[in-house]
Amino acid sequence: ALIGGYAAWPAGWTAPTLAVIWIAAIAWLTLVIKIYGRLSPGLTRLDYIIRFAVIAALLALALTSLTGMGPIIPGATWLALKLVVFAGIIVCGLGIRVVFKPFGQAFGKLVAEGSSPAVEAAMRLAQSRVRPVVLTLWAALVVEAFLGLSKI
């Protein structure tokens, strides 16, 4: 957005801002790889905190920009809306983790003890509960693509 001219920072802020964003993104990616690579699963709480902070930052940038007080230039409403939708995508990702957690527990029991009606029911219930969250995430991705391509 900064490079494309859809957002503006005060003079001299663009390069440092982009550097901080890239450093933070690489650090977060490293954290996620460590968590999901089972190298440091204890860092999951930190990952959640970062995700909530990113959601708040995205919404703050979007809302201040929509009111004319943020860095996104007037006329690029589509970009502010993309930030709102992206925050929603992160919320969906968190929702999937929370709602689908019982599936992992039931699957572990399935592997350890074999199938049973209770285990199968728990897995089906988790799948049925997570489906709306996943469909919402997919719909949000379509909206993101539409906004980015149409720039409406």
Side-chain angles (χ1 to χ4, degrees), residues 1 83 89 97:
L83 294 179
I89 288 170
R97 289 180 184 185

Side-chain angles (χ1 to χ4, degrees), residues 56-146:
L58 290 171
L59 292 175
L61 279 171
L63 296 176
T64 57
S65 294
L66 288 170
T67 60
M69 299 182 301
I72 296 173
I73 63 168
T77 303
W78 61 272
L79 183 56
L81 293 175
K82 276 182 66 97
L83 294 179
V84 171
V85 174
F86 190 62
I89 288 170
I90 297 171
V91 169
C92 286
L94 290 170
I96 289 168
R97 289 180 184 185
V98 171
V99 174
F100 206 53
K101 189 173 186 174
F103 182 90
Q105 295 163 343
F107 187 76
K109 196 169 186 177
L110 174 73
V111 170
E113 302 171 11
S115 183
S116 72
V119 168
E120 297 290 334
M123 291 172 72
R124 273 194 304 279
L125 181 61
Q127 287 175 322
S128 68
R129 287 185 175 167
V130 80
R131 188 173 292 115
V133 182
V134 171
L135 293 175
T136 301
L137 188 146
W138 289 350
L141 289 170
V142 170
V143 171
E144 281 282 296
F146 174 77

